[in-house]
Every structure is written in C-alpha cells, then in structure tokens.
Amino acid sequence: MSFRKKQFVGLGITIFFLVLLLTVILFMTNSMKTNMLEIVEDRYYKVNKATDIRQLFYETDRQLLFVINREESEDIESNLANIAENREAVRSNIIELEADLDRNDTKVLLNRIQEGYNSYWVMEQEILSQISNEAANETLQGIYASRLDNRAELLENISEFKTLQETLMQETLNESSQTYQNLVVILIAAVILSLLVIVSTTLWVIRSTNARLDVVKNGIKGINYEDLSTLPRLSTDIKDEIGEISEAFNTMASSIESYHAKEREFTEEIGRQNWVQTNSADIINLYHRNVSTDSLAEKFIATLTPLMDAKLGAFYLLDGEGGKGATYKKVATYADGAEDVGGEAYKLREGLIGQCAWDKKAIHIEEVPENYSVVTTGIGHVKPKSIIIAPVIIKDEVIAVIEMATLTRFTKTHTQLLNKVLETLGIAITNILGRMEVERLLLESQAQTEELQSQSEELQAQSEELQTQSEELRMINEQLEERSRDAEQKSADLQKAKTELEDKAKQLQLSSKYKSEFLANMSHELRTPLNSILLLSEMLAEDPEDQLTDEQREFSRVINSSGQDLLNLINDILDLSKVEVKKLELMFGEVNVEEFINRLELQFTHIAKHKKLNYEIARGSKLPDVFFTDEQRLQQIVKNLLSNAFKFTEKGKVTVKIDTATKRELLKANVSIKADTWLKISVEDTGIGISKDKQSLIFEAFHQGDGATMRKYGGTGLGLSISKEFSNLLGGSVFVESEEGEGSVFTLLIPSLPEGMPQMKEVEAAWKEVASTTEKELIDEENMVLDMAEKVEANLPVFEEEQDISNILKGKTVVVVDDDHRNVYALNNALNKEDMNILTAENGLQCLDILHENEHVDIILMDIMMPVMDGYKAIKTIRNLEKHKDVPIIALTAKAMKGDREKCLEVGASDYISKPLKLDQLLSAMRVWVAKN
C-alpha cells in the first residue's frame, strides 16, 4: 500500500470516530439544555408568580388592617386605592399561572387559591361597604376576625403551591445533573476509544514509512551548509511518494549547487560595487569642504591614492585657458616629496600626461619602463608595476589629469572607483573655479562700482565738454574701428564681460539705493519720537521756574540721558550701515599723538574713579609727534575698546599701551597696507575675559560673548563691530587675545597714511577743496550757527545792537509744520516759554493755507518727511510766493542722511538742523534768522 493510501485510511478512521463522538456530545448537550430551560423558564417563573401573589396578599391585608383600625381624622383614600390595585394584580397573576400549568395537582392547588382569595375578596367588599356606612371600628374588626380561618387556609394553599413548584424544579435539576454525569462518562469512553484507534492508525502509518524517511533524513543530514558547492544525492529505487521526494531532492541539490556558484559571484560583485560607492561618496564629500583648487587637489590625491592601492600619485590641473596651447601644471602629489620626480608641467601631446589630455582617454600601462620613477620607502626604492593616467573631462574639455602608480596591479574595482570619482571631480573643479571667478568679479565689480560712483559727478560735469569733442571722438572712433578689426574676438569677450559687470553694477547701485532709502526712513522713524523725548526731558531738567522736586529733575535727567544713549545707538547703526554700503566718508589729516593721549586720559579717568579701578596709559619711547589718519574714527575705535574694558571689569585695572608696531606684529596681523609708521594701541583689562569659541563672534554686529553677558552688562554688541569696520577702512586691523576669567587684550594696528588710503587718491583733489567746510559740518554745527550769528550781529542796525538778542523771539509768529503730534507738543512747550505766537500745520499744504490767511509770519520750522506734501515741495512753493518768499525757513528732519542738508538748502531752506533737536541750538538759530529778517 502506498504512503498516500495509508494516510487516507488513517484519516478516514479518525474522522469517523470524531463524528461519532461529536454526535453523542450534541445529543446529551441538547438534553441538558432542555432540562435547564424547564428549570429557568417554567419552574422558576411559577415560583416567582406564587411569591408575588403571596406578597400582594400580605400588602392587601396590611392595608385592610390599617383601614379597620384607622382614626376618624385619617384619610384612607390612598389605602383603598392600593387595595384595589393589589386585587387586580393578584387576579392577573392567577390568570397567567392558570394558562401555564400542565399538571393536575398544581391546577387543583391554584383553584383552591383562587376560591380562597374570592372568599377573602368578599370580606373586603363587606368591610368597604361598612366603611361607606360609617360603621365603627369594632364592627369592622368583627368582620375581619370572622374570616381569619379563610385567610389562614389561603396562605397555606399559596405556600403549598410554591413548595410544589420548588420540588419540581429540584427534581428537574437532579435529572440535569444525572444527564451531565452520564455525558462525562460517555465522553471519556468515546475519547479513549477514539484515541486508541487514532494512535493505532498513526503508528501503522509511521512504521510503514519510517525506513524510507530515515534514508531521506540521513541524506539531508549529510549536507554541509558551510559549503553548498557539492550536495549528497538520495536513492530513487522505490517508486512511491518518498521516492518522488528523493528525486525532487536530487533535482533541488543540483539547482542549489548552480545557484550557490552564481550567488558567490554576485556577492563578490556587490561587495566591489559597495566598496566603490562608499569610497566614492567619501571622496565626493571632500568637494564641499574646499574653497580652492589647490586644497581640493591635495585632499583628493591624498585620499584616492591609498584607496587605489597606489604608492605614487600626481594631480595635474589645466593652467589658464584651454585650447591647443593648454598647459597642465602639477598641483598636488602623493609620496613624491623624497626627490624630484617627474615634470612640473606638460603641454598638450607632451609626454603621456599631454597625450592623455589630447586623446581624452585613460592610459593604462602594465609594462613599466626601466627608467620610470621609483617609489621611495624608508629602506630603499621600488619600481612600480602598473600605471594609470586618466583625464578629468567636463563639457568635452580636459581640465585635469590624474596619474597613479602601484607595486601590484590595478584591479577592475580600482578602475571603477577611479571612473566614478572622475565623473564628479570635473564638476567640483568647475564649481570652485566658478566661485573663485565670481568672487574675483564681485571684488572687481565693487571696485568699479565705487569708481563709477565717485566719477559720476565728474562725468556729469564733463558731459558738455564731451559733446564739444564729439567730432574729435568720431575721428578717434574711426581709428579705433580700424584697429578693432585686428582684435574682434577679444573685443567680443570684453564686451560680454563689460555687460555682465554693468548689470552687476546696476544691481549693486539699486541695492545701495534701497538700503539708503531704508536707512533714511529708519532714521526718520526713530529720531522723530526721540526728538520729543530729548526736548521735553531737557526742558523739565532745566526747570527755570523751580516747580519740580529734586527727584523729578533727576528723573528728567535720566530720561534725557537714556534718550542720548538711544541716539548714540541710532548713530552707531547708521555708521555701520554706511560702512556696509561704502557711504562713510573719511578725512585723513594730522593727529597730534600727545593731545590724542591726553583726551583718552580725561575722558575715562572719572569712569575709573567711579568703578574704583586703576587706569593707566603707557607711552612707547618711539612714538611720533604727528600721525596721519582720520582722527574722528580713530577716537571712536579706541573709545569703544575702552568702554568695553570698563564695562566688563569689576575690579583690578584697565591699561592702554600706545607704541609703534614691530614688523613681526604686522606679519602676525597679516596687514596689506604699506606704510612707514604703524601705531599699536592695546587696551588691557582684568575683567571677565572671553572664551576661545566666542572670540570670533564678538566682532559681529549685535553679538556679545553670550546671552548671560548681555543680560548682566547690557549693550547692543555694535561697538566692536563698528571698531572692526572703521579699522579696516583706515587700513588697519583689530584683534583680541583673551582667556575666560583672566581678562582681555584688544589690539589696534593702524597705519600712518599722509596721502590717505590708496584707493582714495582719485578723489583726493575733490576732498581738499571741501575739507574745511566738511570738517566744520561734521565736528560742530553749533559753532557754525554761532559764527553766522556773529556775522549777522555785525551787520545789524544800531538800534538792534542795543537790544538783547536773547529776547528777540518774544511776540514773534512761528509756524511749526510737523505731522508728529509729539514733536509739535514738545516744540509748543519750548516756544511758549519764549512768548512766541505759535501756528501749527500737519503737512506742507496746511502750511501754505496758514501763510495765505496770515499777513505776517516771522519764521517757519519745517519738517521734511510728511504726508500729502513733504517739506521739500513746501519750501520750494513758499519761495515762489510773493508775500512770504523771504521768510526764514529752518528745515528739521530726522532722516539725517548724506546729502540731505544740501538738498534742503537747494530748494530754499534758510538753515538745516537734524533731529533729535538740541533746544539751545534750535533757539540760537531761530534768534539769528529772526534778527536777520
């Protein structure tokens, strides 16, 4: 019998006995279910009904006794209602039980219960009737007592009925228990019999197939899973299912042997590919961390050569433009430093390097010539056995050549790695060259932009002269056109470069314009509210009528001081922004070194005394008497450094050392300006110091050492940034040496430049023409106003010379034009104290309306940045009026940008004062112009 037939016989017997067992279980379970339903649905239901009838009877009897024994004043309506309700419930329960009873004995009992309850109900009716006739309680009690036997019999019948139902329920439960026990015995016997049959059948099947399975098992155990190249074979003599399994196993063994061989080849290939991908990715990561081709070449050849198992390597980079005259220069090597190995540069088709660049194909040499370069080790020299020379191609142009030599042989994997990295190396080199070219063009563009800006006025002035020379230029152009034919290609290239530079110059000019406008608007928005703060606080602090307390005057001084600090911050931001857009003007001139040192001593001695710090200034022995630089910017740099030193020093001392710088110090600072004399100014303190990782950040705008430092010591972080920018503009450098907790040393190196900065020579002549005027404007506008006042007073009539000019504003009419109500309020308070008649307008148009309505106006204070009509247009319009064309107009603006003063004066303003206003300066200018008018 076959293995399959044996399995079917065993399975059939097993299924038969399982079906038989299941049938017996279902039959007995159904019997148990029937008994349980009888108990739950029938007997338990009838017991509950009997219990309900007895409970309702007790309740009715209790209510009836209450009615019989009531007091005359008690209300029995609810009791009578309960009796009637209970009577109906009892009747309903008896009817339901009568319908469900199926035994004669239970029916007989139920009939006796119904008869007894009917008799009890007759008693109830009699008692209720007597109550209606207002019978006495004794009569009612007599009726109730006459029927006590009937009541007892009724209760006995109800209890007997309940007991009978409980007995029947118990009998049914016993029958269910017996059925369950029989089911367990039969189930155990059936299970034992089934197990015996199933086990016997299974053993018969196992014994009949065990021998053949042992053969298969032993064959499978003979497999060496560590080496699947050769597998054992099974015997296929007996033609049954196991014989078929043996044949399938033999076929599988052949397939596994073939698959194993292919898998080993595939795994080796995958390993090579993974090695290539991993190492090529590492090399590609080098591209992003280099900013020059030399550093890229050094890191590339140093990384790739060991990976290629090479012992020599060289990197040749295209030098200059491509073409037939291209030259490839060696820029990086590996293991080539022991001696002079190979050439430094190759032209196209010169040597194998040049030939590789010409053919644009890799050259692989297996038989190395005897005179080829050797690999030098610590103990001798070895000649390489294999050489590979490969081009780096981008857009069909060879931009580099890689050469490597090995002592063994370059494998296929090495070649794949080389090809992989060379695919992206060209792009990396091109990107670096592009960035370098962009940086170069950007620097040239910035330089040309500055040059174009500086020459724009000169070009405009020369436009008429150029027009008169147009004929001469035409003749020159004809000559140039004749020459241009010889350099047509170069001209095209230059024109393209010029176009690109012009586009970039326009973009830079546009960006500079937008930034300048933004700075102007920001200056206006900040200075406008600050103007009223400073004016009102200054007026409160003066308190001429002595109306304020000392504390209130101190509050005013604090507000004014805070406003001044905010103004200084605004000026710092504008200075920093002017530096960024190349708008900051420098005035190089003589600086008296001794006076400069004395000013430093006077400015900070009181701060040192206040903080109880030692303050010293150490002079070098070789200091010059005169030094050439922008004194204002130099003072600002050193002032910022000293302010920081005193701010961050709680105890100890602050020392300033001023001396000439040595060559070694200049080399260390890597300065690029050539000058005969360099000044070195070091500011040393014993303060909190700066950690190494924060020293590069403190010279950036709005940065301090860390957040905690800023919170503790305050400040905006602009001082050092401005100092750095100013030092760069002056051709110098500023740097720091510090350790956290050990103090800091800030060092400024500045050159003496009698001729100014080298890039400023082209505009030097123009500066000399306006030097004196510009210096007066930058240093002290108040002195200019006072000088003007003296000149005016000198020309006043005799009766005015006798008048006190300080009271000249009394009774005069002034028009205050400003759209900011805070400024108007501040000016009104200030001018009211001068007893002036004040008229106000929110824009230029309202000012014109006021002038049309008033015959006489003595002076106008005109804001510039206003809606509807700004100050420029309003001033220009007033100057065209016949009635008020000569009225003095003082332009007040918070914009305070370069050229604003000249623009105001051009449209007709008499004077110009920037916000925040200094009250003394404003009143002095007003007195001068009112007196002059």
Side-chain angles (χ1 to χ4, degrees), residues 527-542 556 559-560 563-564 818 822-831 833 861 892 913 915-923:
R527 289 172 181 265
T528 295
L530 188 60
N531 178 65
S532 56
I533 292 174
L534 291 177
L535 281 177
L536 293 175
S537 61
E538 183 180 356
M539 292 165 59
L540 286 174
E542 290 177 355
S556 303
I559 293 172
N560 189 265
Q564 291 294 339
D818 199 318
R822 296 167 296 186
N823 287 340
V824 174
Y825 174 76
L827 287 173
N828 279 351
N829 279 276
L831 299 178
K833 294 182 178 181
L861 303 181
L892 309 177
I913 298 178
K915 296 178 181 178
L917 303 174
K918 293 182 179 179
L919 189 58
D920 292 343
Q921 179 186 2
L922 174 63
L923 294 176

Side-chain angles (χ1 to χ4, degrees), residues 622-637:
K622 298 181 180 180
L623 282 177
D625 295 331
V626 176
F627 193 80
F628 292 90
T629 188
D630 188 319
E631 184 173 9
Q632 179 186 357
R633 306 306 173 191
L634 177 61
Q635 287 180 351
Q636 194 167 350
I637 294 171

Side-chain angles (χ1 to χ4, degrees), residues 294 297-299 301 313-316 329-334 336:
D294 290 346
E298 289 286 352
K299 293 180 180 178
I301 202 68
F315 192 112
Y316 298 89
K329 182 180 178 182
K330 182 163 66 176
V331 295
T333 60
Y334 180 85
D336 190 23

Side-chain angles (χ1 to χ4, degrees), residues 447-470:
Q448 292 182 6
T449 301
E450 293 178 358
E451 183 178 355
L452 288 173
Q453 291 175 347
S454 64
Q455 292 177 353
S456 60
E457 295 182 2
E458 181 180 353
L459 291 175
Q460 185 176 359
Q462 294 175 353
S463 61
E464 294 182 1
E465 182 181 353
L466 290 175
Q467 290 177 358
T468 61
Q469 296 175 353
S470 61

Side-chain angles (χ1 to χ4, degrees), residues 722-735:
I722 293 174
S723 298
K724 179 182 178 182
E725 296 294 342
F726 282 178
S727 65
N728 292 337
L729 289 176
L730 297 179
S733 175
V734 62
F735 53 90

Side-chain angles (χ1 to χ4, degrees), residues 1-220:
M1 185 182 293
S2 68
F3 180 66
R4 179 177 296 177
K5 291 181 179 179
K6 294 175 183 178
Q7 288 179 323
F8 278 127
V9 171
L11 180 62
I13 295 172
T14 302
I15 292 173
F16 172 76
F17 278 96
L18 288 176
V19 171
L20 179 61
L21 178 62
L22 182 61
T23 302
V24 173
I25 293 172
L26 289 175
F27 174 76
M28 299 188 73
T29 303
N30 187 53
S31 176
M32 291 178 62
K33 177 182 178 183
T34 302
N35 292 336
M36 295 304 295
L37 287 174
E38 182 180 357
I39 294 172
V40 175
E41 295 181 356
D42 185 24
R43 306 302 177 192
Y44 185 74
Y45 169 77
K46 294 173 182 176
V47 170
N48 281 343
K49 285 296 182 181
T51 303
D52 290 342
I53 291 172
R54 185 172 62 182
Q55 186 65 28
L56 290 169
F57 176 76
Y58 282 146
E59 177 64 21
T60 302
D61 192 59
R62 186 177 66 81
Q63 295 289 339
L64 189 61
L65 287 174
F66 178 81
V67 170
I68 293 172
N69 298 311
R70 74 190 188 286
E71 297 291 337
E72 292 183 0
S73 60
E74 290 181 341
D75 185 11
I76 60 172
E77 292 299 325
S78 62
N79 302 95
L80 297 176
N82 288 336
I83 291 172
E85 183 180 349
N86 292 341
R87 181 172 62 248
E88 292 300 322
V90 169
R91 284 180 142 181
S92 176
N93 286 336
I94 292 174
I95 292 171
E96 290 177 1
L97 277 174
E98 187 176 9
D100 291 335
L101 294 178
D102 54 359
R103 291 171 59 97
N104 291 329
D105 53 351
T106 57
K107 289 182 178 180
V108 171
L109 275 174
L110 183 63
N111 288 332
R112 293 205 307 237
I113 291 172
Q114 187 171 10
E115 291 174 358
Y117 192 79
N118 288 337
S119 177
Y120 185 83
W121 179 72
V122 171
M123 179 193 70
E124 287 181 7
Q125 294 300 318
E126 185 178 355
I127 291 174
L128 295 176
S129 175
Q130 291 295 328
I131 290 174
S132 300
N133 295 328
E134 298 181 352
N137 288 348
E138 292 79 5
T139 303
L140 299 177
Q141 290 171 0
I143 297 173
Y144 181 81
S146 64
R147 298 296 180 92
L148 288 178
D149 293 340
N150 177 261
R151 176 179 178 277
E153 182 181 359
L154 176 60
L155 291 174
E156 182 180 358
N157 290 332
I158 293 173
S159 298
E160 183 179 357
F161 180 85
K162 178 174 177 292
T163 303
L164 177 61
Q165 294 298 327
E166 289 176 347
T167 302
L168 293 174
M169 185 169 64
Q170 184 63 37
E171 291 175 357
T172 306
L173 182 61
N174 293 337
E175 291 176 4
S176 298
S177 299
Q178 185 63 37
T179 302
Y180 172 74
Q181 292 175 0
N182 295 337
L183 176 62
V184 171
V185 173
I186 295 172
L187 181 61
I188 293 174
V191 169
I192 293 173
L193 179 61
S194 300
L195 288 176
L196 290 175
V197 174
I198 293 171
V199 170
S200 299
T201 304
T202 304
L203 290 175
W204 172 62
V205 174
I206 291 174
R207 287 175 181 175
S208 63
T209 57
N210 188 48
R212 294 293 295 147
L213 290 175
D214 286 341
V215 175
V216 176
K217 178 185 68 175
N218 293 331
I220 295 175

Side-chain angles (χ1 to χ4, degrees), residues 690-870:
I690 307 165
S691 60
K692 297 293 184 183
D693 57 337
K694 298 296 191 301
Q695 292 180 13
S696 60
L697 296 176
I698 59 174
F699 289 103
E700 297 180 11
F702 303 102
H703 273 83
Q704 286 188 342
D706 54 36
T709 301
M710 183 174 291
R711 288 191 297 269
K712 180 177 179 181
Y713 295 98
T716 63
L718 289 177
L720 291 179
S721 177
I722 293 174
S723 298
K724 179 182 178 182
E725 296 294 342
F726 282 178
S727 65
N728 292 337
L729 289 176
L730 297 179
S733 175
V734 62
F735 53 90
V736 63
E737 297 176 2
S738 178
E739 290 186 8
E740 194 168 4
E742 300 295 331
S744 305
V745 179
F746 284 86
T747 301
L748 170 67
L749 298 177
I750 205 78
S752 178
L753 300 175
E755 304 297 327
M757 289 291 288
Q759 62 267 30
M760 298 169 63
K761 291 181 179 179
E762 296 181 2
V763 294
E764 187 178 16
W767 279 357
K768 288 182 179 179
E769 293 178 3
V770 296
S772 58
T773 304
T774 306
E775 184 178 2
K776 289 180 181 179
E777 293 175 355
L778 292 174
I779 294 176
D780 192 359
E781 291 186 356
E782 285 190 32
N783 291 337
M784 182 187 68
V785 175
L786 293 175
D787 291 341
M788 187 180 298
E790 292 176 0
K791 294 177 182 179
V792 172
E793 289 176 359
N795 296 322
L796 289 177
V798 175
F799 70 90
E800 288 186 0
E801 291 179 358
E802 297 175 356
Q803 181 182 357
D804 185 1
I805 195 173
S806 62
N807 296 325
I808 198 171
L809 298 179
K810 184 175 182 180
K812 301 296 184 181
T813 300
V814 58
V815 180
V816 178
V817 188
D818 199 318
D819 62 316
D820 192 294
H821 295 286
R822 296 167 296 186
N823 287 340
V824 174
Y825 174 76
L827 287 173
N828 279 351
N829 279 276
L831 299 178
N832 275 328
K833 294 182 178 181
E834 300 293 326
D835 293 331
M836 297 189 73
N837 300 322
I838 304 170
L839 304 175
T840 61
E842 293 185 359
N843 53 63
L845 195 59
Q846 291 185 7
C847 176
L848 294 176
D849 293 339
I850 291 174
L851 294 179
H852 285 302
E853 295 172 359
N854 291 271
E855 290 294 330
H856 180 74
V857 171
D858 295 288
I859 192 168
I860 299 174
L861 303 181
M862 180 73 70
D863 186 27
I864 297 300
M865 302 292 289
M866 293 182 297
V868 183
M869 179 185 287
D870 62 15

